[in-house]
Amino acid sequence: MSAPFAALETRVNAAVIAHCANATADFGAGVTVEGVFQREYQEALGVAGNRPVFTALTADLPAITHRTTVCEINGADYTVMESHPDGTGNTLLVLEGA
């Protein structure tokens, strides 16, 4: 029974990215990926700030390693600090300004 659900999950994820993507990440070498770019609110030790993140389909992302540089998202350069696949076909990349 998991095969029909997996197919539905794949279609839903693709539709969400197709309709909600607000940015393209350029990983260089002609690899560009559509996804959702956000600046999440974050607070640590009483200091507020934001944490840029990029969510995309796991299958669309190149092999991500710690400190992989994303050439550009919305005109700014970022370095991937963390990669968190969610097990449903999406991956959240935690970014830092390069």
Side-chain angles (χ1 to χ4, degrees):
M1 289 303 272
S2 66
F5 180 78
L8 176 61
E9 185 177 65
T10 299
R11 287 195 311 272
V12 167
N13 285 341
V16 167
I17 292 298
H19 287 71
C20 297
N22 63 358
T24 301
D26 183 344
F27 290 89
V31 178
T32 58
V33 178
E34 297 292 317
V36 177
F37 179 74
Q38 299 174 296
R39 293 185 176 277
E40 295 181 338
Y41 175 79
Q42 181 176 349
E43 185 175 333
L45 303 172
V47 178
N50 62 48
R51 175 179 86 154
V53 296
F54 183 75
T55 304
L57 297 174
T58 303
D60 290 349
L61 291 169
I64 301 293
T65 57
H66 182 67
R67 298 216 177 254
T68 297
T69 299
V70 175
C71 294
E72 183 181 334
I73 297 177
N74 293 341
D77 292 337
Y78 292 95
T79 300
V80 176
M81 301 306 292
E82 300 173 31
S83 176
H84 299 284
D86 68 2
T88 68
N90 294 304
T91 295
L92 175 99
L93 303 178
V94 178
L95 308 170
E96 180 179 275

